[in-house]
């Protein structure tokens, strides 16, 4: 069975695309009555508060009809922002040469949490450069990852 976030992504993506936005990712943070469903949208022209409101209205209607979450939750719709979280291996490709913070589900080669430069994307694997050494991981072994903004 697919993860809840994957099912929600598949359910919501057509509606978000119909509003001319890209569904960047879906995240469900479980916390009892204070659980949160985060829907990240993106656009070449950026995302405004009005864009988030439009998508929130559309997504809420779908969630009310489909009722895929059987507990209380808050819905948040936002841009991925500067610390853009990554949900799919293909998303890293546009950020080759940028730094990312990564947390793995299990330690690999003694690393569970690290920051590295995105060096390459090969199918479902992402290669990072950490202190000059290459470190390749499968997207499925990444618990969380996000871009680390660099300010010059």
């Amino acid at each position: 069975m697919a993860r809840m976030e994957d099912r929600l992504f598949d359910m919501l993506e057509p509606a978000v695309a119909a509003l001319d936005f890209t569904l960047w990712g879906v995240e469900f943070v479980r916390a009892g009555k204070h659980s949160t469903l985060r829907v990240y949208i993106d656009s070449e022209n950026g995302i405004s508060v009005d864009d988030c409101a439009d998508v929130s209205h559309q997504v809420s209607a779908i969630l009310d009809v489909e009722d895929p979450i059987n507990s209380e939750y808050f819905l948040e719709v936002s841009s991925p922002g500067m610390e853009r979280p990554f949900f799919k291996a293909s998303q890293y490709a546009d950020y080759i040469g940028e730094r990312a913070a990564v947390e793995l589900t299990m330690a690999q080669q003694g690393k569970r949490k690290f920051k590295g430069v995105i060096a390459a994307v090969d199918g479902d694997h992402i290669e990072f450069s950490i202190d000059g050494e290459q470190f390749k991981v499968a997207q499925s072994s990444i618990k969380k990852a996000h871009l680390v903004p660099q300010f010059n």
Side-chain angles (χ1 to χ4, degrees):
M1 184 162 86
R3 289 183 24 225
M4 178 192 288
E5 286 91 348
D6 295 334
R7 291 191 315 269
L8 289 167
F9 186 97
D10 292 343
M11 179 186 304
L12 301 176
E13 198 276 331
V16 173
L19 294 171
D20 291 327
F21 299 109
T22 300
L23 181 55
W24 182 260
V26 175
E27 181 179 53
F28 187 68
V29 180
R30 290 167 179 80
K33 290 184 177 184
H34 303 288
S35 296
T36 303
L37 174 60
R38 290 192 184 103
V39 175
Y40 296 98
I41 59 172
D42 206 3
S43 167
E44 289 181 9
N45 301 321
I47 298 297
S48 71
V49 172
D50 289 337
D51 297 336
C52 292
D54 292 344
V55 171
S56 179
H57 180 74
Q58 192 72 16
V59 164
S60 290
I62 292 168
L63 294 171
D64 286 346
V65 170
E66 297 293 330
D67 199 22
I69 302 170
N70 54 7
S71 62
E72 292 182 34
Y73 62 92
F74 297 100
L75 173 63
E76 292 179 3
V77 177
S78 72
S79 158
M82 292 178 63
E83 289 190 5
R84 173 174 302 263
F86 294 108
F87 297 94
K88 299 176 182 182
S90 60
Q91 293 174 331
Y92 293 82
D94 289 338
Y95 298 93
I96 290 175
E98 303 283 335
R99 286 181 56 79
V102 180
E103 181 180 349
L104 303 176
T105 55
M106 311 178 70
Q108 292 180 357
Q109 300 173 0
K111 293 176 178 43
R112 182 146 189 255
K113 289 184 179 183
F114 62 88
K115 288 183 182 174
V117 174
I118 303 166
V121 178
D122 181 15
D124 193 37
H125 289 79
I126 303 97
E127 190 171 315
F128 298 93
S129 178
I130 305 168
D131 299 325
E133 290 186 32
Q134 300 307 103
F135 186 65
K136 192 172 189 176
V137 296
Q139 173 63 31
S140 60
S141 66
I142 297 176
K143 182 177 180 180
K144 291 166 73 172
H146 65 86
L147 202 58
V148 177
Q150 300 294 307
F151 301 100
N152 297 330

